[in-house]
PDB file of all heavy atoms in Angstrom:
ATOM      1  N   ALA A   9       0.867  -1.181   0.000  1.00  0.00           N
ATOM      2  CA  ALA A   9       0.000   0.000   0.000  1.00  0.00           C
ATOM      3  C   ALA A   9       0.904   1.231   0.000  1.00  0.00           C
ATOM      4  O   ALA A   9       2.110   1.126   0.267  1.00  0.00           O
ATOM      5  CB  ALA A   9      -0.916   0.001   1.219  1.00  0.00           C
ATOM      6  N   PRO A  10       0.354   2.402  -0.285  1.00  0.00           N
ATOM      7  CA  PRO A  10       1.151   3.631  -0.184  1.00  0.00           C
ATOM      8  C   PRO A  10       1.677   3.843   1.237  1.00  0.00           C
ATOM      9  O   PRO A  10       1.092   3.353   2.213  1.00  0.00           O
ATOM     10  CB  PRO A  10       0.150   4.723  -0.582  1.00  0.00           C
ATOM     11  CG  PRO A  10      -0.887   4.034  -1.396  1.00  0.00           C
ATOM     12  CD  PRO A  10      -0.996   2.655  -0.806  1.00  0.00           C
ATOM     13  N   ASP A  11       2.770   4.564   1.347  1.00  0.00           N
ATOM     14  CA  ASP A  11       3.408   4.776   2.658  1.00  0.00           C
ATOM     15  C   ASP A  11       2.443   5.383   3.676  1.00  0.00           C
ATOM     16  O   ASP A  11       2.447   4.990   4.852  1.00  0.00           O
ATOM     17  CB  ASP A  11       4.628   5.692   2.497  1.00  0.00           C
ATOM     18  CG  ASP A  11       5.776   5.001   1.764  1.00  0.00           C
ATOM     19  OD1 ASP A  11       5.742   3.767   1.639  1.00  0.00           O
ATOM     20  OD2 ASP A  11       6.710   5.699   1.326  1.00  0.00           O
ATOM     21  N   ALA A  12       1.629   6.340   3.236  1.00  0.00           N
ATOM     22  CA  ALA A  12       0.709   6.999   4.168  1.00  0.00           C
ATOM     23  C   ALA A  12      -0.310   6.000   4.720  1.00  0.00           C
ATOM     24  O   ALA A  12      -0.649   6.033   5.914  1.00  0.00           O
ATOM     25  CB  ALA A  12      -0.006   8.160   3.482  1.00  0.00           C
ATOM     26  N   ALA A  13      -0.793   5.104   3.870  1.00  0.00           N
ATOM     27  CA  ALA A  13      -1.765   4.105   4.316  1.00  0.00           C
ATOM     28  C   ALA A  13      -1.115   3.112   5.267  1.00  0.00           C
ATOM     29  O   ALA A  13      -1.731   2.685   6.259  1.00  0.00           O
ATOM     30  CB  ALA A  13      -2.358   3.381   3.114  1.00  0.00           C
ATOM     31  N   ILE A  14       0.126   2.746   5.001  1.00  0.00           N
ATOM     32  CA  ILE A  14       0.837   1.821   5.891  1.00  0.00           C
ATOM     33  C   ILE A  14       1.057   2.474   7.253  1.00  0.00           C
ATOM     34  O   ILE A  14       0.861   1.839   8.299  1.00  0.00           O
ATOM     35  CB  ILE A  14       2.171   1.393   5.263  1.00  0.00           C
ATOM     36  CG1 ILE A  14       1.903   0.463   4.066  1.00  0.00           C
ATOM     37  CG2 ILE A  14       3.056   0.689   6.286  1.00  0.00           C
ATOM     38  CD1 ILE A  14       3.140   0.073   3.307  1.00  0.00           C
ATOM     39  N   SER A  15       1.445   3.733   7.246  1.00  0.00           N
ATOM     40  CA  SER A  15       1.649   4.442   8.515  1.00  0.00           C
ATOM     41  C   SER A  15       0.362   4.493   9.332  1.00  0.00           C
ATOM     42  O   SER A  15       0.374   4.292  10.554  1.00  0.00           O
ATOM     43  CB  SER A  15       2.162   5.861   8.248  1.00  0.00           C
ATOM     44  OG  SER A  15       3.443   5.830   7.634  1.00  0.00           O
ATOM     45  N   ALA A  16      -0.751   4.742   8.659  1.00  0.00           N
ATOM     46  CA  ALA A  16      -2.040   4.778   9.349  1.00  0.00           C
ATOM     47  C   ALA A  16      -2.380   3.406   9.924  1.00  0.00           C
ATOM     48  O   ALA A  16      -2.848   3.287  11.066  1.00  0.00           O
ATOM     49  CB  ALA A  16      -3.130   5.247   8.397  1.00  0.00           C
ATOM     50  N   PHE A  17      -2.134   2.360   9.153  1.00  0.00           N
ATOM     51  CA  PHE A  17      -2.411   1.003   9.631  1.00  0.00           C
ATOM     52  C   PHE A  17      -1.574   0.673  10.862  1.00  0.00           C
ATOM     53  O   PHE A  17      -2.080   0.132  11.852  1.00  0.00           O
ATOM     54  CB  PHE A  17      -2.146  -0.009   8.519  1.00  0.00           C
ATOM     55  CG  PHE A  17      -2.232  -1.435   8.965  1.00  0.00           C
ATOM     56  CD1 PHE A  17      -3.460  -2.037   9.157  1.00  0.00           C
ATOM     57  CD2 PHE A  17      -1.079  -2.172   9.226  1.00  0.00           C
ATOM     58  CE1 PHE A  17      -3.550  -3.355   9.599  1.00  0.00           C
ATOM     59  CE2 PHE A  17      -1.154  -3.479   9.657  1.00  0.00           C
ATOM     60  CZ  PHE A  17      -2.389  -4.083   9.845  1.00  0.00           C
ATOM     61  N   LEU A  18      -0.296   0.998  10.803  1.00  0.00           N
ATOM     62  CA  LEU A  18       0.590   0.695  11.934  1.00  0.00           C
ATOM     63  C   LEU A  18       0.198   1.471  13.188  1.00  0.00           C
ATOM     64  O   LEU A  18       0.478   1.033  14.309  1.00  0.00           O
ATOM     65  CB  LEU A  18       2.042   0.994  11.556  1.00  0.00           C
ATOM     66  CG  LEU A  18       2.635   0.120  10.450  1.00  0.00           C
ATOM     67  CD1 LEU A  18       4.065   0.541  10.148  1.00  0.00           C
ATOM     68  CD2 LEU A  18       2.582  -1.359  10.823  1.00  0.00           C
ATOM     69  N   ALA A  19      -0.463   2.610  12.987  1.00  0.00           N
ATOM     70  CA  ALA A  19      -0.920   3.419  14.121  1.00  0.00           C
ATOM     71  C   ALA A  19      -2.284   2.985  14.634  1.00  0.00           C
ATOM     72  O   ALA A  19      -2.848   3.625  15.525  1.00  0.00           O
ATOM     73  CB  ALA A  19      -0.960   4.890  13.715  1.00  0.00           C
ATOM     74  N   GLY A  20      -2.839   1.897  14.052  1.00  0.00           N
ATOM     75  CA  GLY A  20      -4.118   1.388  14.538  1.00  0.00           C
ATOM     76  C   GLY A  20      -5.325   1.975  13.862  1.00  0.00           C
ATOM     77  O   GLY A  20      -6.446   1.831  14.365  1.00  0.00           O
ATOM     78  N   ARG A  21      -5.125   2.603  12.729  1.00  0.00           N
ATOM     79  CA  ARG A  21      -6.247   3.205  12.021  1.00  0.00           C
ATOM     80  C   ARG A  21      -6.561   2.384  10.759  1.00  0.00           C
ATOM     81  O   ARG A  21      -5.738   1.567  10.337  1.00  0.00           O
ATOM     82  CB  ARG A  21      -5.903   4.666  11.655  1.00  0.00           C
ATOM     83  CG  ARG A  21      -5.633   5.544  12.864  1.00  0.00           C
ATOM     84  CD  ARG A  21      -5.615   7.015  12.485  1.00  0.00           C
ATOM     85  NE  ARG A  21      -4.571   7.325  11.523  1.00  0.00           N
ATOM     86  CZ  ARG A  21      -3.324   7.691  11.844  1.00  0.00           C
ATOM     87  NH1 ARG A  21      -2.971   7.760  13.112  1.00  0.00           N
ATOM     88  NH2 ARG A  21      -2.437   7.961  10.920  1.00  0.00           N
ATOM     89  N   PRO A  22      -7.740   2.563  10.163  1.00  0.00           N
ATOM     90  CA  PRO A  22      -8.730   3.611  10.458  1.00  0.00           C
ATOM     91  C   PRO A  22      -9.790   3.247  11.500  1.00  0.00           C
ATOM     92  O   PRO A  22     -10.461   4.119  12.016  1.00  0.00           O
ATOM     93  CB  PRO A  22      -9.401   3.833   9.094  1.00  0.00           C
ATOM     94  CG  PRO A  22      -9.286   2.523   8.408  1.00  0.00           C
ATOM     95  CD  PRO A  22      -7.997   1.921   8.857  1.00  0.00           C
ATOM     96  N   THR A  23      -9.951   1.953  11.831  1.00  0.00           N
ATOM     97  CA  THR A  23     -11.049   1.580  12.729  1.00  0.00           C
ATOM     98  C   THR A  23     -10.576   1.014  14.057  1.00  0.00           C
ATOM     99  O   THR A  23     -11.346   0.986  15.015  1.00  0.00           O
ATOM    100  CB  THR A  23     -11.949   0.528  12.053  1.00  0.00           C
ATOM    101  OG1 THR A  23     -11.241  -0.727  11.985  1.00  0.00           O
ATOM    102  CG2 THR A  23     -12.370   0.965  10.661  1.00  0.00           C
ATOM    103  N   GLY A  24      -9.364   0.521  14.113  1.00  0.00           N
ATOM    104  CA  GLY A  24      -8.895  -0.162  15.312  1.00  0.00           C
ATOM    105  C   GLY A  24      -9.149  -1.653  15.292  1.00  0.00           C
ATOM    106  O   GLY A  24      -8.608  -2.396  16.115  1.00  0.00           O
ATOM    107  N   ALA A  25      -9.979  -2.129  14.359  1.00  0.00           N
ATOM    108  CA  ALA A  25     -10.241  -3.561  14.198  1.00  0.00           C
ATOM    109  C   ALA A  25      -9.256  -4.118  13.176  1.00  0.00           C
ATOM    110  O   ALA A  25      -9.208  -3.644  12.038  1.00  0.00           O
ATOM    111  CB  ALA A  25     -11.676  -3.792  13.738  1.00  0.00           C
ATOM    112  N   LEU A  26      -8.462  -5.104  13.563  1.00  0.00           N
ATOM    113  CA  LEU A  26      -7.340  -5.545  12.744  1.00  0.00           C
ATOM    114  C   LEU A  26      -7.762  -6.010  11.357  1.00  0.00           C
ATOM    115  O   LEU A  26      -7.200  -5.571  10.347  1.00  0.00           O
ATOM    116  CB  LEU A  26      -6.591  -6.668  13.469  1.00  0.00           C
ATOM    117  CG  LEU A  26      -5.353  -7.215  12.749  1.00  0.00           C
ATOM    118  CD1 LEU A  26      -4.348  -6.108  12.457  1.00  0.00           C
ATOM    119  CD2 LEU A  26      -4.705  -8.322  13.573  1.00  0.00           C
ATOM    120  N   LEU A  27      -8.746  -6.893  11.266  1.00  0.00           N
ATOM    121  CA  LEU A  27      -9.135  -7.412   9.961  1.00  0.00           C
ATOM    122  C   LEU A  27      -9.713  -6.305   9.082  1.00  0.00           C
ATOM    123  O   LEU A  27      -9.373  -6.196   7.898  1.00  0.00           O
ATOM    124  CB  LEU A  27     -10.151  -8.553  10.102  1.00  0.00           C
ATOM    125  CG  LEU A  27     -10.598  -9.187   8.784  1.00  0.00           C
ATOM    126  CD1 LEU A  27      -9.417  -9.791   8.035  1.00  0.00           C
ATOM    127  CD2 LEU A  27     -11.670 -10.248   9.031  1.00  0.00           C
ATOM    128  N   ASP A  28     -10.572  -5.467   9.655  1.00  0.00           N
ATOM    129  CA  ASP A  28     -11.151  -4.370   8.879  1.00  0.00           C
ATOM    130  C   ASP A  28     -10.064  -3.435   8.362  1.00  0.00           C
ATOM    131  O   ASP A  28     -10.108  -2.977   7.215  1.00  0.00           O
ATOM    132  CB  ASP A  28     -12.137  -3.576   9.736  1.00  0.00           C
ATOM    133  CG  ASP A  28     -13.409  -4.357  10.039  1.00  0.00           C
ATOM    134  OD1 ASP A  28     -13.645  -5.377   9.359  1.00  0.00           O
ATOM    135  OD2 ASP A  28     -14.152  -3.956  10.941  1.00  0.00           O
ATOM    136  N   ASP A  29      -9.085  -3.148   9.204  1.00  0.00           N
ATOM    137  CA  ASP A  29      -8.015  -2.234   8.802  1.00  0.00           C
ATOM    138  C   ASP A  29      -7.116  -2.870   7.743  1.00  0.00           C
ATOM    139  O   ASP A  29      -6.614  -2.183   6.845  1.00  0.00           O
ATOM    140  CB  ASP A  29      -7.188  -1.819  10.016  1.00  0.00           C
ATOM    141  CG  ASP A  29      -7.970  -0.921  10.961  1.00  0.00           C
ATOM    142  OD1 ASP A  29      -9.080  -0.494  10.582  1.00  0.00           O
ATOM    143  OD2 ASP A  29      -7.481  -0.662  12.073  1.00  0.00           O
ATOM    144  N   LEU A  30      -6.914  -4.174   7.838  1.00  0.00           N
ATOM    145  CA  LEU A  30      -6.129  -4.868   6.813  1.00  0.00           C
ATOM    146  C   LEU A  30      -6.849  -4.840   5.467  1.00  0.00           C
ATOM    147  O   LEU A  30      -6.230  -4.613   4.420  1.00  0.00           O
ATOM    148  CB  LEU A  30      -5.897  -6.326   7.232  1.00  0.00           C
ATOM    149  CG  LEU A  30      -4.569  -6.662   7.889  1.00  0.00           C
ATOM    150  CD1 LEU A  30      -4.505  -8.156   8.175  1.00  0.00           C
ATOM    151  CD2 LEU A  30      -3.387  -6.240   7.035  1.00  0.00           C
ATOM    152  N   VAL A  31      -8.138  -5.096   5.496  1.00  0.00           N
ATOM    153  CA  VAL A  31      -8.922  -5.070   4.256  1.00  0.00           C
ATOM    154  C   VAL A  31      -8.874  -3.685   3.618  1.00  0.00           C
ATOM    155  O   VAL A  31      -8.724  -3.544   2.404  1.00  0.00           O
ATOM    156  CB  VAL A  31     -10.377  -5.512   4.532  1.00  0.00           C
ATOM    157  CG1 VAL A  31     -11.271  -5.222   3.344  1.00  0.00           C
ATOM    158  CG2 VAL A  31     -10.414  -6.995   4.882  1.00  0.00           C
ATOM    159  N   ALA A  32      -8.975  -2.646   4.444  1.00  0.00           N
ATOM    160  CA  ALA A  32      -8.870  -1.289   3.923  1.00  0.00           C
ATOM    161  C   ALA A  32      -7.490  -1.034   3.336  1.00  0.00           C
ATOM    162  O   ALA A  32      -7.343  -0.393   2.284  1.00  0.00           O
ATOM    163  CB  ALA A  32      -9.167  -0.279   5.038  1.00  0.00           C
ATOM    164  N   LEU A  33      -6.456  -1.550   4.000  1.00  0.00           N
ATOM    165  CA  LEU A  33      -5.085  -1.365   3.517  1.00  0.00           C
ATOM    166  C   LEU A  33      -4.872  -2.040   2.168  1.00  0.00           C
ATOM    167  O   LEU A  33      -4.171  -1.516   1.300  1.00  0.00           O
ATOM    168  CB  LEU A  33      -4.105  -1.946   4.540  1.00  0.00           C
ATOM    169  CG  LEU A  33      -2.618  -1.753   4.263  1.00  0.00           C
ATOM    170  CD1 LEU A  33      -2.223  -0.292   4.457  1.00  0.00           C
ATOM    171  CD2 LEU A  33      -1.778  -2.663   5.158  1.00  0.00           C
ATOM    172  N   LEU A  34      -5.487  -3.193   1.978  1.00  0.00           N
ATOM    173  CA  LEU A  34      -5.277  -4.000   0.767  1.00  0.00           C
ATOM    174  C   LEU A  34      -6.263  -3.686  -0.347  1.00  0.00           C
ATOM    175  O   LEU A  34      -6.224  -4.344  -1.389  1.00  0.00           O
ATOM    176  CB  LEU A  34      -5.360  -5.487   1.123  1.00  0.00           C
ATOM    177  CG  LEU A  34      -4.364  -5.993   2.168  1.00  0.00           C
ATOM    178  CD1 LEU A  34      -4.605  -7.472   2.454  1.00  0.00           C
ATOM    179  CD2 LEU A  34      -2.936  -5.764   1.714  1.00  0.00           C
ATOM    180  N   ASP A  35      -7.113  -2.724  -0.148  1.00  0.00           N
ATOM    181  CA  ASP A  35      -8.122  -2.357  -1.152  1.00  0.00           C
ATOM    182  C   ASP A  35      -7.463  -2.160  -2.516  1.00  0.00           C
ATOM    183  O   ASP A  35      -6.608  -1.281  -2.680  1.00  0.00           O
ATOM    184  CB  ASP A  35      -8.817  -1.067  -0.711  1.00  0.00           C
ATOM    185  CG  ASP A  35      -9.869  -0.599  -1.703  1.00  0.00           C
ATOM    186  OD1 ASP A  35     -10.187  -1.362  -2.637  1.00  0.00           O
ATOM    187  OD2 ASP A  35     -10.358   0.536  -1.556  1.00  0.00           O
ATOM    188  N   PRO A  36      -7.837  -2.963  -3.537  1.00  0.00           N
ATOM    189  CA  PRO A  36      -7.182  -2.888  -4.843  1.00  0.00           C
ATOM    190  C   PRO A  36      -7.822  -1.879  -5.805  1.00  0.00           C
ATOM    191  O   PRO A  36      -7.595  -1.947  -7.009  1.00  0.00           O
ATOM    192  CB  PRO A  36      -7.339  -4.310  -5.375  1.00  0.00           C
ATOM    193  CG  PRO A  36      -8.662  -4.740  -4.825  1.00  0.00           C
ATOM    194  CD  PRO A  36      -8.780  -4.090  -3.455  1.00  0.00           C
ATOM    195  N   SER A  37      -8.609  -0.957  -5.286  1.00  0.00           N
ATOM    196  CA  SER A  37      -9.303  -0.012  -6.167  1.00  0.00           C
ATOM    197  C   SER A  37      -8.327   0.823  -6.997  1.00  0.00           C
ATOM    198  O   SER A  37      -8.604   1.152  -8.154  1.00  0.00           O
ATOM    199  CB  SER A  37     -10.214   0.904  -5.347  1.00  0.00           C
ATOM    200  OG  SER A  37     -11.226   0.153  -4.705  1.00  0.00           O
ATOM    201  N   ASP A  38      -7.175   1.171  -6.412  1.00  0.00           N
ATOM    202  CA  ASP A  38      -6.188   1.953  -7.160  1.00  0.00           C
ATOM    203  C   ASP A  38      -5.638   1.156  -8.337  1.00  0.00           C
ATOM    204  O   ASP A  38      -5.434   1.702  -9.426  1.00  0.00           O
ATOM    205  CB  ASP A  38      -5.039   2.391  -6.246  1.00  0.00           C
ATOM    206  CG  ASP A  38      -5.454   3.492  -5.291  1.00  0.00           C
ATOM    207  OD1 ASP A  38      -6.527   4.096  -5.503  1.00  0.00           O
ATOM    208  OD2 ASP A  38      -4.703   3.759  -4.329  1.00  0.00           O
ATOM    209  N   GLN A  39      -5.382  -0.132  -8.126  1.00  0.00           N
ATOM    210  CA  GLN A  39      -4.909  -0.980  -9.225  1.00  0.00           C
ATOM    211  C   GLN A  39      -5.954  -1.051 -10.321  1.00  0.00           C
ATOM    212  O   GLN A  39      -5.637  -0.986 -11.514  1.00  0.00           O
ATOM    213  CB  GLN A  39      -4.593  -2.391  -8.726  1.00  0.00           C
ATOM    214  CG  GLN A  39      -4.143  -3.334  -9.846  1.00  0.00           C
ATOM    215  CD  GLN A  39      -4.140  -4.797  -9.430  1.00  0.00           C
ATOM    216  OE1 GLN A  39      -4.657  -5.146  -8.364  1.00  0.00           O
ATOM    217  NE2 GLN A  39      -3.568  -5.650 -10.248  1.00  0.00           N
ATOM    218  N   LEU A  40      -7.208  -1.180  -9.925  1.00  0.00           N
ATOM    219  CA  LEU A  40      -8.282  -1.246 -10.906  1.00  0.00           C
ATOM    220  C   LEU A  40      -8.359   0.038 -11.708  1.00  0.00           C
ATOM    221  O   LEU A  40      -8.535   0.017 -12.932  1.00  0.00           O
ATOM    222  CB  LEU A  40      -9.610  -1.515 -10.201  1.00  0.00           C
ATOM    223  CG  LEU A  40     -10.816  -1.740 -11.095  1.00  0.00           C
ATOM    224  CD1 LEU A  40     -10.657  -3.007 -11.915  1.00  0.00           C
ATOM    225  CD2 LEU A  40     -12.091  -1.813 -10.261  1.00  0.00           C
ATOM    226  N   ALA A  41      -8.219   1.178 -11.031  1.00  0.00           N
ATOM    227  CA  ALA A  41      -8.257   2.460 -11.733  1.00  0.00           C
ATOM    228  C   ALA A  41      -7.074   2.606 -12.682  1.00  0.00           C
ATOM    229  O   ALA A  41      -7.194   3.178 -13.779  1.00  0.00           O
ATOM    230  CB  ALA A  41      -8.269   3.610 -10.719  1.00  0.00           C
ATOM    231  N   ARG A  42      -5.931   2.084 -12.273  1.00  0.00           N
ATOM    232  CA  ARG A  42      -4.715   2.217 -13.076  1.00  0.00           C
ATOM    233  C   ARG A  42      -4.738   1.294 -14.297  1.00  0.00           C
ATOM    234  O   ARG A  42      -4.382   1.699 -15.406  1.00  0.00           O
ATOM    235  CB  ARG A  42      -3.497   1.906 -12.199  1.00  0.00           C
ATOM    236  CG  ARG A  42      -2.158   2.069 -12.880  1.00  0.00           C
ATOM    237  CD  ARG A  42      -1.027   1.885 -11.891  1.00  0.00           C
ATOM    238  NE  ARG A  42      -1.047   0.589 -11.238  1.00  0.00           N
ATOM    239  CZ  ARG A  42      -1.390   0.389  -9.972  1.00  0.00           C
ATOM    240  NH1 ARG A  42      -1.749   1.398  -9.209  1.00  0.00           N
ATOM    241  NH2 ARG A  42      -1.375  -0.835  -9.447  1.00  0.00           N
ATOM    242  N   GLU A  43      -5.155   0.049 -14.110  1.00  0.00           N
ATOM    243  CA  GLU A  43      -5.067  -0.938 -15.175  1.00  0.00           C
ATOM    244  C   GLU A  43      -6.377  -1.121 -15.925  1.00  0.00           C
ATOM    245  O   GLU A  43      -6.376  -1.654 -17.036  1.00  0.00           O
ATOM    246  CB  GLU A  43      -4.612  -2.276 -14.597  1.00  0.00           C
ATOM    247  CG  GLU A  43      -3.240  -2.208 -13.936  1.00  0.00           C
ATOM    248  CD  GLU A  43      -2.788  -3.552 -13.392  1.00  0.00           C
ATOM    249  OE1 GLU A  43      -3.526  -4.547 -13.579  1.00  0.00           O
ATOM    250  OE2 GLU A  43      -1.702  -3.616 -12.792  1.00  0.00           O
ATOM    251  N   GLY A  44      -7.495  -0.700 -15.333  1.00  0.00           N
ATOM    252  CA  GLY A  44      -8.784  -0.880 -15.970  1.00  0.00           C
ATOM    253  C   GLY A  44      -9.312  -2.290 -15.762  1.00  0.00           C
ATOM    254  O   GLY A  44      -8.546  -3.244 -15.555  1.00  0.00           O
ATOM    255  N   ARG A  45     -10.626  -2.408 -15.810  1.00  0.00           N
ATOM    256  CA  ARG A  45     -11.226  -3.726 -15.598  1.00  0.00           C
ATOM    257  C   ARG A  45     -10.758  -4.724 -16.650  1.00  0.00           C
ATOM    258  O   ARG A  45     -10.461  -5.885 -16.330  1.00  0.00           O
ATOM    259  CB  ARG A  45     -12.747  -3.614 -15.632  1.00  0.00           C
ATOM    260  CG  ARG A  45     -13.450  -4.923 -15.290  1.00  0.00           C
ATOM    261  CD  ARG A  45     -14.959  -4.764 -15.263  1.00  0.00           C
ATOM    262  NE  ARG A  45     -15.592  -5.971 -14.768  1.00  0.00           N
ATOM    263  CZ  ARG A  45     -15.869  -7.042 -15.510  1.00  0.00           C
ATOM    264  NH1 ARG A  45     -15.569  -7.029 -16.783  1.00  0.00           N
ATOM    265  NH2 ARG A  45     -16.428  -8.104 -14.972  1.00  0.00           N
ATOM    266  N   ASP A  46     -10.658  -4.283 -17.905  1.00  0.00           N
ATOM    267  CA  ASP A  46     -10.234  -5.198 -18.962  1.00  0.00           C
ATOM    268  C   ASP A  46      -8.807  -5.682 -18.730  1.00  0.00           C
ATOM    269  O   ASP A  46      -8.495  -6.857 -18.953  1.00  0.00           O
ATOM    270  CB  ASP A  46     -10.335  -4.516 -20.328  1.00  0.00           C
ATOM    271  CG  ASP A  46     -11.780  -4.308 -20.765  1.00  0.00           C
ATOM    272  OD1 ASP A  46     -12.680  -4.938 -20.176  1.00  0.00           O
ATOM    273  OD2 ASP A  46     -12.005  -3.510 -21.698  1.00  0.00           O
ATOM    274  N   GLY A  47      -7.933  -4.776 -18.280  1.00  0.00           N
ATOM    275  CA  GLY A  47      -6.554  -5.159 -18.044  1.00  0.00           C
ATOM    276  C   GLY A  47      -6.417  -6.188 -16.943  1.00  0.00           C
ATOM    277  O   GLY A  47      -5.655  -7.162 -17.069  1.00  0.00           O
ATOM    278  N   VAL A  48      -7.152  -5.999 -15.862  1.00  0.00           N
ATOM    279  CA  VAL A  48      -7.105  -6.961 -14.758  1.00  0.00           C
ATOM    280  C   VAL A  48      -7.730  -8.285 -15.186  1.00  0.00           C
ATOM    281  O   VAL A  48      -7.214  -9.365 -14.869  1.00  0.00           O
ATOM    282  CB  VAL A  48      -7.820  -6.393 -13.518  1.00  0.00           C
ATOM    283  CG1 VAL A  48      -7.865  -7.430 -12.399  1.00  0.00           C
ATOM    284  CG2 VAL A  48      -7.116  -5.129 -13.038  1.00  0.00           C
ATOM    285  N   GLN A  49      -8.824  -8.227 -15.941  1.00  0.00           N
ATOM    286  CA  GLN A  49      -9.458  -9.453 -16.413  1.00  0.00           C
ATOM    287  C   GLN A  49      -8.528 -10.227 -17.348  1.00  0.00           C
ATOM    288  O   GLN A  49      -8.459 -11.470 -17.291  1.00  0.00           O
ATOM    289  CB  GLN A  49     -10.763  -9.133 -17.135  1.00  0.00           C
ATOM    290  CG  GLN A  49     -11.548 -10.358 -17.585  1.00  0.00           C
ATOM    291  CD  GLN A  49     -12.016 -11.195 -16.418  1.00  0.00           C
ATOM    292  OE1 GLN A  49     -12.824 -10.746 -15.620  1.00  0.00           O
ATOM    293  NE2 GLN A  49     -11.506 -12.417 -16.299  1.00  0.00           N
ATOM    294  N   GLN A  50      -7.782  -9.507 -18.197  1.00  0.00           N
ATOM    295  CA  GLN A  50      -6.825 -10.171 -19.075  1.00  0.00           C
ATOM    296  C   GLN A  50      -5.755 -10.901 -18.271  1.00  0.00           C
ATOM    297  O   GLN A  50      -5.358 -12.015 -18.615  1.00  0.00           O
ATOM    298  CB  GLN A  50      -6.188  -9.152 -20.014  1.00  0.00           C
ATOM    299  CG  GLN A  50      -7.112  -8.677 -21.122  1.00  0.00           C
ATOM    300  CD  GLN A  50      -6.515  -7.540 -21.925  1.00  0.00           C
ATOM    301  OE1 GLN A  50      -5.598  -6.846 -21.486  1.00  0.00           O
ATOM    302  NE2 GLN A  50      -7.031  -7.333 -23.129  1.00  0.00           N
TER     303      GLN A  50
END
């Protein structure tokens, strides 16, 4: 994840719940925006 997101995760954010915060950290929406749905599907 980006450095800012990693720093937030290590500080116990955004929710304080470990699994929820991990899922937020790993959110692949940026990859999807960068590569497009067709690119990821390929």
Side-chain angles (χ1 to χ4, degrees):
D11 290 345
I14 289 175
S15 296
F17 173 77
L18 295 179
R21 299 193 299 270
T23 71
L26 182 57
L27 181 60
D28 290 345
D29 291 351
L30 262 182
V31 168
L33 184 71
L34 301 178
D35 179 10
S37 297
D38 287 346
Q39 178 193 11
L40 185 65
R42 183 174 58 253
E43 299 181 3
R45 185 177 187 277
D46 289 344
V48 176
Q49 184 64 65
Q50 286 173 340

